[in-house]
Structure formats: C-alpha cells, structure tokens
Amino acid sequence: MLHRTFYANLAHRPEYLLQKQYFFHDISIRCQVNHPALLRISDALLSSYPGCDRPRGEARYDIFCSDKQAPFAVALPPSRIRMGKTQLLTGTQLKYYHSAEDSTEYQRYAALPGVNAEALSVIDVAQHYALTQLEKLEYYEPAFLYRYVLLLALGRLMHPYGFEPCHAAAIHSPWDQQQGALILGSSGSGKTTLSLGCAIAGCGLLGDDLVMLRYEPAQATVRAYSIMPEISVRSASLALWEELSFLQTYPVDARDKRYCPIEQIRQGAASTEVPIRVLIFPQLITGTRSTLQALSKAQTLQALIEECISKENIYPEEEMQLFSLLSVLTEQAPGYRLNIARGSTDGPELVCSLFKR
C-alpha cells in the first residue's frame, strides 16, 4: 500500500511527525505533518469544521516537506499515464497522471520561483489516502499551498464520499437555513460581488467561488457544502459596499484580490451546508436596474453543463456521474438568469425575493 511504502522511508525520523484529527463535514480525516508550519496550514484548511459523533467515513492525509535537496520519498512511476495539464492563476504549471494500473493519481506542480518549488501529491482514492510532498517549506507561498495544493488533494480525497467540487458561490436565505441558492458564473460574471452583497444583507455564505455538492439519498436532495472559510474581494466590490471598507488595508495579490474569513464580512454569516432550492446564473449588463429571467429546465441544465462540465475536466471518466448530479439539481431547483446592472447594489434584493416564491 502507498502509505506503507512511504513510512518505510521515514522510519528513521519519527521525532518530526505531528498528528491531528480533523473533520471535513461528516468525514473524519487523520492528518500527519513533519513541520509545525504545515500544521498551521492544515488548521487553516480544516479546523473550522466541528466534530462529528457518527462520521460517514474516514480518510488519511499526510503532508511532508524536506529540509534539504532530496528526491521525494514517493516519486512519479516510470510507467504512468498523463491525464492533462493546466496553468494555475499563479502561473504554476500543474500536470495530472494516473499510474499504469490506474490505482494511484498524481498531481505534479512545476517550480515557479517566487511562488513555489516543485510539489507532488499522490492520491490512492480507493484507500482514502493522500500524500503531499514538498521541498524546503520556505520556497512556497503559504497561500499557494493552501489554495492550490492542499485544497485540490483534499477534493480528490473526498470524491469517493460523493463530494463534487463546483466553482460557484452558495448562500442561504436570511430567515431559513433550508433555503439555499447556488450562484454559478465564470470569472467576472459578478458572482463574488453578488454573494458578498447577499451576506451583508443577512444571508448565510458558504463560499464565493468554490463549494462542494453532494447528493443525499435519504432526503433525495443535492446539498452544497463549504470548503473554504474565506472569500476573495476585488477593488470593484469594495466600492459598492461600504461594509467592506475595512478591506482597503488588506494585502492585494496580482489579480487585485484581498482574502479574508467570511465571518469578517458579517458576524454569523459563515455557513457550512445547505440544500439547494434556487440556481442563479449572473451576468453583468449595462443599465441602471438589475433584472431576473426565469429559465426553463432545459435552459437550466444547459447552463449547468456549460459551467460545470463544458470547461476542461481533468477526470473525464467521471463526467457522467457529474451529469447525473446536475440532472437531479435541475429537477430540484428552478434556474434564473440574473442580469446585474454594473455599479448597482439591487442584486441581493432580487435574490432574496426568490426565497419567497
């Protein structure tokens, strides 16, 4: 097994191992690291979720860094199948592989000076085990590790338990935590600004750009689950909402984004899960007032496919599983096109009106 091979190579250094138990919603995760700074990063990723008395399953995630230039303990096998590649928003090149026997997945990050050194995540989905290997820790921006390495490996680790990552915002009604909305749109469509405005207006917020979806057979319902307890805000959003003025002093990255915990937007705004009752597809328009347009089921499914499947999918064999989930979601929740007038703040009011229908 993968983790036995790895620990055979670390048996001479047990004094460096730090262990901690976490939960990702109802999944127990045992995490082991070899550096205190890595424990702080894993805390940022997972410590916001409360414990669960009856977990649905368990997983193991190990994160290790080296203190010298040395080959990774578990390397890419000579015989492997390349699944795809992508360039992250940081500019880092990420390549995906399967082992020849298709039992192990690999996520390999090329070094990008100033952002990251080489990194390799190795994931045995069937055994619910993942390992992330790093070079010297000072070679990586902490935000890079958190958002692009650990989060991606965690998503794959949770997939056997039914979790599907979705690039969307998710909120719930100010007066009913069982009335949730999924806000889907590409970068620049207005979904972050809209979800922030909804949070300021009293809605619960699970995330502004990435959430998990899972079908719950007992309730025959697709629910959204939080995965990042923080949001990213561009300068244009700060100009719209006076309540966000405190973010003016926050550090800004190359994409004009400021990051902060959801709870700093409004105390009590952070939420962890919600059933999806409404689907919203925002787009920015010229004009003075925002408008809602109801979509047919066919239009809603097509919009979901365009946002969730039509874009590059690194695991094409799982597209049918995702299509099935989206089909259920189309039957479960009506879809709306929200035409957001640039510079307008009336979007949250229109969203909240949908919870009353």
Side-chain angles (χ1 to χ4, degrees):
M1 293 175 66
L2 172 62
H3 66 271
R4 289 178 182 170
T5 302
F6 180 62
Y7 284 112
N9 294 331
L10 282 184
H12 64 291
R13 299 181 64 187
E15 70 276 10
Y16 287 90
L17 302 183
L18 306 169
Q19 299 187 41
K20 194 164 184 178
Q21 190 77 22
Y22 298 102
F23 285 87
F24 181 76
H25 299 288
D26 56 4
I27 306 301
S28 171
I29 301 178
R30 185 153 63 94
C31 187
Q32 189 164 243
V33 304
N34 71 336
H35 194 289
L38 288 175
L39 199 61
R40 291 192 292 272
I41 293 174
S42 63
D43 276 347
L45 184 68
L46 290 164
S47 64
S48 63
Y49 301 104
C52 178
D53 293 334
R54 301 179 65 182
R56 181 178 299 195
E58 59 183 27
R60 182 169 175 172
Y61 189 16
D62 294 338
I63 311 164
F64 288 86
C65 63
S66 175
D67 58 1
K68 58 184 178 180
Q69 291 293 125
F72 290 142
V74 178
L76 275 171
S79 178
R80 57 185 183 262
I81 301 170
R82 182 165 155 177
M83 300 300 296
K85 68 176 181 178
T86 187
Q87 183 167 307
L88 303 175
L89 292 174
T90 61
T92 305
Q93 186 96 174
L94 170 59
K95 295 181 180 180
Y96 305 89
Y97 301 89
H98 274 175
S99 58
E101 69 279 8
D102 206 34
S103 63
T104 309
E105 302 173 7
Y106 301 86
Q107 299 168 352
R108 183 179 187 180
Y109 300 79
L112 181 64
V115 177
N116 65 281
E118 184 177 349
L120 179 65
S121 289
V122 188
I123 305 161
D124 188 329
V125 174
Q127 297 295 325
H128 308 294
Y129 176 75
L131 162 69
T132 292
Q133 302 168 101
L134 308 168
E135 295 182 17
K136 290 185 178 182
L137 195 54
E138 59 266 28
Y139 293 166
Y140 305 84
E141 290 184 350
F144 172 84
L145 290 178
Y146 172 64
R147 299 187 187 103
Y148 296 105
V149 181
L150 306 189
L151 200 62
L152 189 56
L154 177 66
R156 291 303 298 160
L157 198 55
M158 294 297 101
H159 192 266
Y161 293 112
F163 289 102
E164 292 279 359
C166 182
H167 287 281
I171 63 170
H172 67 65
S173 161
W175 53 83
D176 186 353
Q177 295 186 12
Q178 296 305 305
Q179 295 291 320
L182 196 65
I183 304 172
L184 303 103
S186 57
S187 178
S189 65
K191 69 175 181 294
T192 291
T193 301
L194 179 62
S195 59
L196 284 171
C198 288
I200 291 169
C203 292
L205 178 61
L206 286 73
D208 72 311
D209 189 57
L210 181 64
V211 294
M212 290 286 204
L213 303 180
R214 185 172 69 177
Y215 177 69
E216 301 294 350
Q219 298 87 31
T221 300
V222 177
R223 299 179 70 91
Y225 293 83
S226 64
I227 189 171
M228 296 179 70
E230 68 174 14
I231 50 89
S232 57
V233 187
R234 285 194 169 100
S235 298
S237 297
L238 302 188
L240 286 177
W241 309 107
E242 183 180 346
E243 292 86 346
L244 301 179
S245 60
F246 71 93
L247 288 170
Q248 292 285 1
T249 59
Y250 277 49
V252 183
D253 68 10
R255 295 180 298 135
D256 185 35
K257 286 198 170 187
R258 298 164 171 84
Y259 294 87
C260 80
I262 292 173
E263 280 292 288
Q264 289 188 15
I265 301 301
R266 178 180 58 79
Q267 188 173 3
S271 189
T272 57
E273 63 178 278
V274 68
I276 301 303
R277 304 302 182 196
V278 179
L279 299 169
I280 300 171
F281 302 92
Q283 63 180 9
L284 293 173
I285 61 169
T286 57
T288 58
R289 296 187 64 182
S290 303
T291 60
L292 276 170
Q293 174 191 352
L295 303 178
S296 67
K297 287 185 179 180
Q299 290 172 322
T300 299
L301 181 58
Q302 181 61 37
L304 284 172
I305 291 172
E306 290 174 358
E307 293 299 334
C308 302
I309 295 181
S310 296
K311 296 180 173 61
E312 182 180 3
N313 192 319
I314 61 173
Y315 299 104
E317 71 276 10
E318 295 169 359
E319 286 188 3
M320 287 306 298
Q321 180 178 335
L322 180 55
F323 178 80
S324 177
L325 185 145
L326 297 180
S327 298
V328 172
L329 195 54
T330 301
E331 295 296 324
Q332 172 180 314
Y336 295 87
R337 179 71 63 187
L338 178 54
N339 302 305
I340 304 175
R342 293 181 184 274
S344 171
T345 59
D346 56 358
E349 182 181 354
L350 290 174
V351 170
C352 288
S353 73
L354 296 175
F355 293 127
K356 300 176 182 179
R357 300 188 179 188

